[in-house]
Coordinates of all heavy atoms in Angstrom, one line a residue:
K11 N 12.0 5.1 -10.8 CA 11.1 5.8 -11.7 C 11.9 6.1 -13.0 O 11.3 6.4 -14.1 CB 10.5 7.0 -11.1 CG 11.5 8.1 -10.7 CD 10.7 9.2 -10.1 CE 11.7 10.4 -9.7 NZ 10.9 11.5 -9.1
N12 N 13.2 6.2 -13.0 CA 14.0 6.5 -14.2 C 14.7 5.4 -14.8 O 15.5 5.5 -15.7 CB 15.0 7.6 -13.8 CG 14.4 8.9 -13.4 OD1 13.4 9.3 -14.0 ND2 14.9 9.6 -12.4
R13 N 14.5 4.2 -14.3 CA 15.1 3.0 -14.8 C 14.4 2.5 -16.1 O 13.2 2.8 -16.3 CB 15.1 1.8 -13.8 CG 16.0 2.1 -12.6 CD 16.4 0.8 -12.0 NE 17.2 1.0 -10.7 CZ 17.7 0.0 -10.0 NH1 17.6 -1.2 -10.4 NH2 18.4 0.3 -8.9
P14 N 15.1 1.8 -17.0 CA 14.5 1.3 -18.2 C 13.3 0.4 -18.0 O 13.2 -0.2 -17.0 CB 15.7 0.6 -18.9 CG 16.9 1.1 -18.3 CD 16.6 1.4 -16.9
T15 N 12.4 0.4 -18.9 CA 11.2 -0.3 -18.8 C 11.5 -1.8 -18.6 O 10.8 -2.5 -17.8 CB 10.3 -0.1 -20.0 OG1 9.9 1.3 -20.0 CG2 9.0 -0.9 -19.9
H16 N 12.5 -2.3 -19.4 CA 12.7 -3.8 -19.3 C 13.2 -4.2 -17.9 O 12.9 -5.3 -17.4 CB 13.7 -4.2 -20.4 CG 15.1 -3.8 -20.1 ND1 15.6 -2.5 -20.5 CD2 16.2 -4.4 -19.5 CE1 16.9 -2.4 -20.2 NE2 17.2 -3.5 -19.6
E17 N 13.9 -3.3 -17.2 CA 14.4 -3.6 -15.9 C 13.2 -3.6 -14.9 O 13.1 -4.4 -14.0 CB 15.4 -2.6 -15.4 CG 16.8 -2.7 -16.1 CD 17.8 -1.8 -15.5 OE1 17.6 -1.3 -14.3 OE2 18.9 -1.5 -16.1
I18 N 12.3 -2.7 -15.1 CA 11.1 -2.6 -14.2 C 10.3 -3.9 -14.4 O 9.7 -4.5 -13.5 CB 10.3 -1.4 -14.6 CG1 11.1 -0.1 -14.2 CG2 8.9 -1.4 -13.8 CD1 10.4 1.2 -14.6
L19 N 10.1 -4.3 -15.7 CA 9.4 -5.5 -16.0 C 10.0 -6.8 -15.3 O 9.3 -7.6 -14.8 CB 9.2 -5.7 -17.5 CG 8.2 -4.8 -18.2 CD1 8.3 -5.0 -19.7 CD2 6.8 -5.1 -17.7
Q20 N 11.4 -6.8 -15.4 CA 12.1 -7.9 -14.8 C 11.9 -8.0 -13.3 O 11.6 -9.0 -12.7 CB 13.6 -7.8 -15.2 CG 14.4 -9.0 -14.7 CD 13.9 -10.3 -15.3 OE1 13.8 -10.4 -16.5 NE2 13.8 -11.4 -14.5
K21 N 12.0 -6.8 -12.7 CA 11.8 -6.7 -11.2 C 10.4 -7.1 -10.9 O 10.1 -7.8 -9.9 CB 12.1 -5.3 -10.8 CG 11.9 -5.1 -9.3 CD 12.9 -5.9 -8.4 CE 12.7 -5.6 -7.0 NZ 13.6 -6.5 -6.1
L22 N 9.4 -6.7 -11.7 CA 8.0 -7.0 -11.5 C 7.8 -8.5 -11.5 O 7.0 -9.0 -10.7 CB 7.1 -6.2 -12.5 CG 5.6 -6.3 -12.3 CD1 5.2 -5.7 -11.0 CD2 4.9 -5.7 -13.5
N23 N 8.4 -9.1 -12.4 CA 8.3 -10.6 -12.6 C 8.9 -11.3 -11.4 O 8.4 -12.4 -11.0 CB 8.9 -11.1 -13.9 CG 8.1 -10.5 -15.1 OD1 6.9 -10.2 -15.0 ND2 8.8 -10.5 -16.2
D24 N 10.0 -10.8 -10.9 CA 10.7 -11.5 -9.8 C 10.2 -11.2 -8.4 O 10.6 -11.8 -7.5 CB 12.2 -11.2 -9.9 CG 12.9 -11.6 -11.2 OD1 12.3 -12.5 -11.9 OD2 13.9 -11.0 -11.6
C25 N 9.4 -10.1 -8.3 CA 9.0 -9.6 -7.0 C 7.7 -10.2 -6.6 O 6.7 -10.3 -7.3 CB 8.8 -8.1 -7.1 SG 8.3 -7.3 -5.6
S26 N 7.7 -10.7 -5.3 CA 6.5 -11.3 -4.7 C 5.8 -10.3 -3.8 O 4.7 -10.6 -3.3 CB 6.8 -12.6 -4.0 OG 7.7 -12.3 -2.9
C27 N 6.4 -9.2 -3.5 CA 5.8 -8.2 -2.5 C 4.8 -7.4 -3.3 O 5.1 -6.7 -4.3 CB 6.9 -7.3 -2.0 SG 6.4 -5.9 -1.0
L28 N 3.5 -7.4 -2.8 CA 2.5 -6.7 -3.4 C 2.7 -5.2 -3.4 O 2.3 -4.4 -4.3 CB 1.1 -7.0 -2.8 CG 0.6 -8.5 -3.0 CD1 -0.7 -8.7 -2.3 CD2 0.4 -8.7 -4.5
A29 N 3.3 -4.7 -2.3 CA 3.5 -3.2 -2.2 C 4.5 -2.8 -3.2 O 4.3 -1.7 -3.9 CB 4.0 -2.9 -0.8
S30 N 5.5 -3.6 -3.5 CA 6.5 -3.2 -4.5 C 5.9 -3.3 -5.9 O 6.2 -2.5 -6.8 CB 7.7 -4.2 -4.4 OG 8.4 -4.0 -3.1
Q31 N 5.1 -4.4 -6.1 CA 4.4 -4.5 -7.4 C 3.6 -3.3 -7.7 O 3.6 -2.8 -8.9 CB 3.6 -5.8 -7.4 CG 4.4 -7.1 -7.4 CD 3.5 -8.3 -7.5 OE1 2.4 -8.2 -8.0 NE2 3.9 -9.4 -6.9
A32 N 2.9 -2.8 -6.7 CA 2.0 -1.6 -6.9 C 2.9 -0.4 -7.3 O 2.4 0.4 -8.2 CB 1.2 -1.3 -5.7
I33 N 4.0 -0.2 -6.7 CA 4.9 0.9 -7.0 C 5.4 0.8 -8.5 O 5.4 1.7 -9.3 CB 6.1 1.0 -6.1 CG1 5.6 1.3 -4.7 CG2 7.1 2.0 -6.6 CD1 6.7 1.3 -3.6
L34 N 5.9 -0.4 -8.8 CA 6.4 -0.6 -10.2 C 5.3 -0.5 -11.3 O 5.5 0.1 -12.3 CB 7.0 -2.1 -10.3 CG 8.2 -2.3 -9.4 CD1 8.6 -3.8 -9.4 CD2 9.4 -1.5 -9.9
L35 N 4.1 -1.0 -11.0 CA 3.0 -0.8 -11.9 C 2.6 0.6 -12.0 O 2.2 1.1 -13.1 CB 1.8 -1.7 -11.4 CG 2.0 -3.2 -11.6 CD1 0.9 -3.9 -10.8 CD2 2.0 -3.6 -13.1
G36 N 2.7 1.4 -11.0 CA 2.4 2.8 -11.0 C 3.4 3.5 -12.0 O 3.0 4.4 -12.7
I37 N 4.6 3.2 -11.9 CA 5.6 3.7 -12.8 C 5.3 3.4 -14.3 O 5.4 4.2 -15.2 CB 7.0 3.3 -12.4 CG1 7.4 3.7 -11.0 CG2 8.1 3.8 -13.5 CD1 8.7 3.2 -10.5
L38 N 5.0 2.1 -14.5 CA 4.6 1.7 -15.9 C 3.4 2.4 -16.4 O 3.3 2.7 -17.6 CB 4.5 0.2 -15.9 CG 5.7 -0.7 -15.7 CD1 5.4 -2.2 -15.7 CD2 6.7 -0.4 -16.9
L39 N 2.4 2.5 -15.5 CA 1.1 3.2 -15.9 C 1.4 4.6 -16.4 O 0.9 5.0 -17.4 CB 0.2 3.2 -14.7 CG -1.2 3.9 -14.9 CD1 -2.0 3.1 -15.9 CD2 -1.9 4.0 -13.6
K40 N 2.2 5.3 -15.6 CA 2.5 6.7 -16.0 C 3.4 6.8 -17.3 O 3.2 7.6 -18.1 CB 3.3 7.4 -14.8 CG 3.7 8.8 -15.1 CD 4.5 9.4 -13.9 CE 5.0 10.7 -14.2 NZ 5.8 11.3 -13.1
R41 N 4.3 5.8 -17.4 CA 5.2 5.9 -18.6 C 4.7 5.3 -19.8 O 4.8 5.8 -20.9 CB 6.5 5.2 -18.2 CG 7.6 5.2 -19.3 CD 8.8 4.3 -18.9 NE 9.4 4.8 -17.7 CZ 10.5 4.1 -17.1 NH1 11.0 3.1 -17.7 NH2 11.0 4.6 -16.0
E42 N 4.0 4.1 -19.7 CA 3.6 3.3 -20.9 C 2.1 3.4 -21.1 O 1.7 3.0 -22.2 CB 4.1 1.9 -20.8 CG 5.6 1.7 -20.5 CD 6.4 2.1 -21.6 OE1 5.9 2.3 -22.7 OE2 7.7 2.2 -21.5
G43 N 1.3 3.7 -20.1 CA -0.1 3.7 -20.3 C -0.8 2.5 -19.8 O -0.1 1.5 -19.5
P44 N -2.1 2.5 -19.6 CA -2.8 1.4 -19.0 C -2.9 0.1 -19.9 O -3.1 -1.0 -19.4 CB -4.3 1.9 -18.8 CG -4.4 3.0 -19.8 CD -3.0 3.6 -20.0
N45 N -2.6 0.2 -21.2 CA -2.8 -0.9 -22.1 C -1.4 -1.6 -22.4 O -1.4 -2.5 -23.2 CB -3.4 -0.5 -23.4 CG -4.9 0.0 -23.2 OD1 -5.6 -0.6 -22.4 ND2 -5.2 1.0 -23.9
F46 N -0.4 -1.2 -21.7 CA 0.9 -1.8 -21.9 C 0.9 -3.2 -21.3 O 0.4 -3.4 -20.3 CB 2.0 -0.9 -21.2 CG 3.4 -1.4 -21.4 CD1 4.1 -1.3 -22.6 CD2 4.1 -2.1 -20.3 CE1 5.4 -1.8 -22.7 CE2 5.4 -2.6 -20.5 CZ 6.0 -2.4 -21.7
I47 N 1.5 -4.1 -22.0 CA 1.4 -5.6 -21.7 C 2.5 -5.9 -20.7 O 3.7 -5.7 -20.9 CB 1.5 -6.4 -22.9 CG1 0.4 -6.1 -23.9 CG2 1.4 -7.9 -22.5 CD1 -1.0 -6.3 -23.4
T48 N 2.1 -6.6 -19.6 CA 3.0 -7.2 -18.6 C 2.8 -8.7 -18.6 O 2.0 -9.2 -19.5 CB 2.7 -6.6 -17.2 OG1 1.5 -7.1 -16.7 CG2 2.7 -5.1 -17.2
K49 N 3.4 -9.4 -17.7 CA 3.3 -10.8 -17.6 C 1.9 -11.3 -17.3 O 1.4 -12.4 -17.7 CB 4.3 -11.4 -16.6 CG 4.3 -12.9 -16.5 CD 5.3 -13.4 -15.5 CE 5.4 -14.9 -15.4 NZ 6.4 -15.3 -14.4
E50 N 1.1 -10.4 -16.6 CA -0.3 -10.7 -16.2 C -1.3 -9.9 -17.0 O -2.3 -9.4 -16.4 CB -0.4 -10.6 -14.7 CG 0.4 -11.5 -13.9 CD 0.0 -11.5 -12.4 OE1 -1.2 -11.3 -12.1 OE2 0.9 -11.8 -11.6
G51 N -1.0 -9.6 -18.2 CA -2.0 -8.8 -19.0 C -1.6 -7.4 -19.1 O -0.4 -7.0 -19.0
T52 N -2.5 -6.5 -19.3 CA -2.3 -5.1 -19.4 C -1.9 -4.6 -18.0 O -2.2 -5.2 -17.0 CB -3.5 -4.3 -19.9 OG1 -4.6 -4.4 -19.0 CG2 -3.9 -4.9 -21.3
V53 N -1.3 -3.4 -18.0 CA -0.9 -2.7 -16.7 C -2.2 -2.5 -15.9 O -2.2 -2.8 -14.7 CB -0.2 -1.4 -17.0 CG1 -0.1 -0.6 -15.7 CG2 1.2 -1.6 -17.6
S54 N -3.3 -2.1 -16.5 CA -4.5 -1.9 -15.8 C -5.0 -3.2 -15.2 O -5.4 -3.2 -14.0 CB -5.6 -1.3 -16.7 OG -6.8 -1.1 -16.0
D55 N -5.0 -4.3 -15.9 CA -5.4 -5.6 -15.4 C -4.5 -6.1 -14.3 O -5.0 -6.6 -13.3 CB -5.5 -6.6 -16.5 CG -6.6 -6.3 -17.6 OD1 -7.5 -5.6 -17.2 OD2 -6.4 -6.8 -18.7

């Protein structure tokens, strides 16, 4: 939760575990908001 956003995005791209993706996306949602862009669209999408 305290790691830089770019590290979280990198882990999100490399991670295939849905449970881990949900955790990382929750951190991004709280930090960057629902409209922050990831590899698969906005955080909300």
Side-chain angles (χ1 to χ4, degrees):
K11 66 180 181 180
N12 295 321
R13 293 204 183 184
T15 298
H16 71 274
E17 289 188 16
I18 296 177
L19 286 173
Q20 184 61 49
K21 179 64 175 177
L22 185 61
N23 294 337
D24 299 338
C25 179
S26 60
C27 174
L28 292 177
S30 298
Q31 289 182 29
I33 293 175
L34 295 171
L35 287 167
I37 297 173
L38 289 176
L39 178 66
K40 178 182 176 182
R41 182 187 299 179
E42 307 291 349
N45 296 321
F46 183 74
I47 300 299
T48 70
K49 187 178 180 179
E50 297 192 29
T52 65
V53 169
S54 180
D55 291 339

